[in-house]
Amino acid sequence: MLIVQKYGGTSVGNPDRIKNVAARVAKYRALGDQIVVVVSAMSGVTDNLIKLAKEIMPLPSEREMDVLLATGEQQTIALTAIALHALNVPAVSLTGPQAGIVTDVVHTKAKIHNITPKKVHELLKQGNVVIVAGFQGETPEGQITTLGRGGSDLTAIALAAALKADLCQIYTDVDGVYTADPRIVPTAKKLEEISYDEMLELASLGAKVMQSRSVEFAKKFGVVFEVRSSLNENPGTIVKEETKSMEGVVVRGVSLDKNQAKITLVGVPDKPGVAARIFKALGDATVNVDMIVQNISHGTGTPQTDISFTADKPDLLKAQKVIDGLKSELGLREMITAEKIGKLSIVGVGMKSHTGVAGKLFDTLAREGVNIDMISTSEIKISVVIDLAKGEAAMKAVHAAFIG
Ligand code: ADP
Ligand code: ASP
Ligand code: MG
């Protein structure tokens, strides 16, 4: 069997943990499997590199950030190879580019274009465990890129697809995907299985156990994968295509995204083309905009409106810069930013066929004294923006109401 195993930051967080990973890999290999290991940077390393750069300049060049951040994973691949050598297991480390991972040119959140894993195949054939640096690739011109935070998940899933692996295992520091972050909601339950769509929503709505883009990729290429712990042998959670029986559950999970910021534009001229101009400029600057709410017009003369939107917190400075640049051209009156917000969401494919879910959510929040600032819904999720300070208490209450 060909197995792709990915180990996240905590799982490779110190030399003992790396030795533990090596022992696990060696055990699988002893069963006769071919193993490709994808590793993240040791926990805290990526955050620290970002902090260092920001101490020098608040908005550093994204190209240079990629050069900097890619070093984190490069340390871990070599250390993991060394740990396998210590167990007499032949192992070779490869950077993302050496493994043939080619991306577009969007620095810090590049998308994988294609993978030509020739080197990986060669090394496997020679009997090696191949250790690939997660989170990184290169453009066709040879510029180093990274795949967005949590991007080692994407490396693993994309490699599993490219190599047509028999198994893809995502090893992390929890036993699998839970109905909510078990660190916030102690009563959260581990799920045996979850559909791609539910996992995708949970991941994009703040459940950082999987990077959302990696789930999107898995869905597109039909990569079934398992999320499980690197610290024990418990079975994990299988992420796969939706089955009919999954619709019986209304709410599969609850998530809280603390990583969003809200920007309100006050006094936006209410005429055709203005919203297009604003959001096109934000898109061009690769700001990820999520919820958008526009108020009804007010004022005399040219009618004016207010527009609020949420974006990833790390993109806030960039978004402010874009809006500042448009202020006089569009005649925007004011920009107000809020960072202390949380986006609370409930997710489940069963919502398609059940009614009254929104009412129950709003009622639960009202009982908790939580004010709802923005709302957005899709077929399988409802999200609300609330005060960050009340986020965790609200999450626990909502989990208790829908899941128990
Ligand atoms: P890794 O370093 O292995 O990639 P992450 O820290 O990125 O691990 O993701 C694992 C963490 O995700 C867990 O420690 C947990 O706190 C958090 N998490 C958030 N939501 C969930 C959820 N629904 N199920 C499981 N873990 C979750
Ligand atoms: N090291 C990167 C990060 O911290 C990628 C990853 O861990 O998956 O975001
Ligand atoms: Mg992760």
Side-chain angles (χ1 to χ4, degrees):
M1 265 207 308
L2 173 57
I3 308 178
V4 174
Q5 299 187 332
K6 178 255 170 178
Y7 293 90
T10 322
S11 305
V12 292
N14 59 45
D16 280 336
R17 290 276 171 91
I18 293 176
K19 286 186 200 168
N20 170 59
V21 165
R24 191 178 281 268
V25 171
K27 204 180 71 191
Y28 274 93
R29 189 169 173 279
L31 298 172
D33 297 321
Q34 289 188 315
I35 320 276
V36 175
V37 179
V38 174
V39 285
S40 292
M42 295 162 84
S43 58
V45 166
T46 308
D47 285 341
N48 200 41
L49 291 171
I50 294 174
K51 192 164 145 263
L52 285 175
K54 295 211 162 156
E55 273 171 30
I56 298 174
M57 190 183 179
L59 210 53
S61 142
E62 292 183 328
R63 178 192 182 278
E64 300 310 328
M65 284 311 286
D66 278 351
V67 174
L68 179 66
L69 296 192
T71 62
E73 271 68 13
Q74 203 165 324
Q75 295 175 358
T76 329
I77 50 170
L79 292 171
T80 309
I82 291 167
L84 280 159
H85 296 166
L87 301 175
N88 289 320
V89 176
V92 179
S93 65
L94 295 177
T95 64
Q98 286 174 327
I101 299 177
V102 177
T103 72
D104 64 15
V105 295
V106 184
H107 284 291
T108 78
K109 35 183 128 162
K111 286 205 170 75
I112 294 180
H113 252 180
N114 61 281
I115 302 185
T116 320
K118 198 169 137 256
K119 194 86 202 142
V120 178
H121 280 302
E122 269 171 33
L123 290 166
L124 283 174
K125 221 162 137 196
Q126 292 161 13
N128 296 290
V129 170
V130 182
I131 301 152
V132 179
F135 180 52
Q136 52 175 261
E138 69 175 359
T139 67
E141 288 75 38
Q143 303 285 334
I144 297 173
T145 50
T146 62
L147 310 175
R149 297 305 307 267
S152 300
D153 294 333
L154 178 57
T155 305
I157 286 178
L159 264 178
L163 295 166
K164 300 193 173 55
D166 301 289
L167 266 183
C168 178
Q169 301 171 322
I170 308 289
Y171 285 95
T172 182
D173 56 2
V174 281
D175 279 5
V177 180
Y178 281 69
T179 50
D181 187 341
R183 290 181 210 287
I184 302 178
V185 182
T187 52
K189 298 173 184 58
K190 190 182 82 184
L191 297 162
E192 264 176 45
E193 56 177 27
I194 184 169
S195 70
Y196 290 128
D197 287 337
E198 289 169 327
M199 188 68 249
L200 185 54
E201 290 285 10
L202 282 177
S204 29
L205 296 168
K208 74 163 188 162
V209 62
M210 284 302 296
Q211 189 215 28
S212 60
R213 283 168 55 189
S214 71
V215 184
E216 223 171 306
F217 197 102
K219 181 181 174 185
K220 190 164 165 197
F221 293 94
V223 179
V224 175
F225 63 95
E226 182 185 12
V227 180
R228 56 185 297 184
S229 171
S230 65
L231 304 169
N232 60 46
E233 297 295 330
N234 299 342
T237 304
I238 305 289
V239 187
K240 59 176 197 183
E241 202 49 70
E242 181 181 331
T243 56
K244 197 71 209 145
S245 66
M246 287 180 179
E247 272 201 39
V249 175
V250 184
V251 174
R252 181 87 51 204
V254 182
S255 65
L256 176 66
D257 189 349
K258 301 175 177 176
N259 200 33
Q260 294 263 303
K262 187 174 92 168
I263 299 179
T264 303
L265 308 177
V266 183
V268 183
D270 194 4
K271 56 181 190 203
V274 174
R277 179 83 183 90
I278 294 169
F279 291 102
K280 166 100 181 27
L282 288 166
D284 289 345
T286 69
V287 173
N288 259 336
V289 172
D290 181 33
M291 288 185 184
I292 304 174
V293 173
Q294 177 172 334
N295 283 342
I296 43 171
S297 314
H298 50 76
T300 48
T302 308
Q304 293 188 335
T305 181
D306 300 341
I307 296 180
S308 293
F309 62 90
T310 61
D312 296 343
K313 236 175 236 176
D315 282 348
L316 182 60
L317 263 183
K318 214 159 60 171
Q320 279 174 299
K321 232 172 128 180
V322 170
I323 302 293
D324 273 335
L326 291 173
K327 240 178 170 171
S328 54
E329 177 195 327
L330 296 179
L332 307 176
R333 192 140 33 94
E334 202 188 342
M335 163 169 55
I336 304 167
T337 58
E339 287 192 68
K340 295 203 164 68
I341 61 158
K343 185 168 59 175
L344 177 69
S345 310
I346 53 175
V347 171
V349 288
M351 277 186 212
K352 288 187 223 170
S353 48
H354 288 77
T355 55
V357 184
K360 183 167 167 184
L361 172 67
F362 301 158
D363 189 46
T364 308
L365 292 171
R367 282 171 205 270
E368 281 293 305
V370 177
N371 192 48
I372 300 173
D373 198 10
M374 294 165 99
I375 302 172
S376 86
T377 63
S378 81
E379 234 190 350
I380 67 163
K381 72 121 200 269
I382 305 174
S383 300
V384 292
V385 170
I386 59 176
D387 177 8
L388 184 59
K390 294 188 172 163
E392 295 196 357
M395 188 183 194
K396 285 182 193 145
V398 168
H399 189 276
F402 284 97
I403 296 168

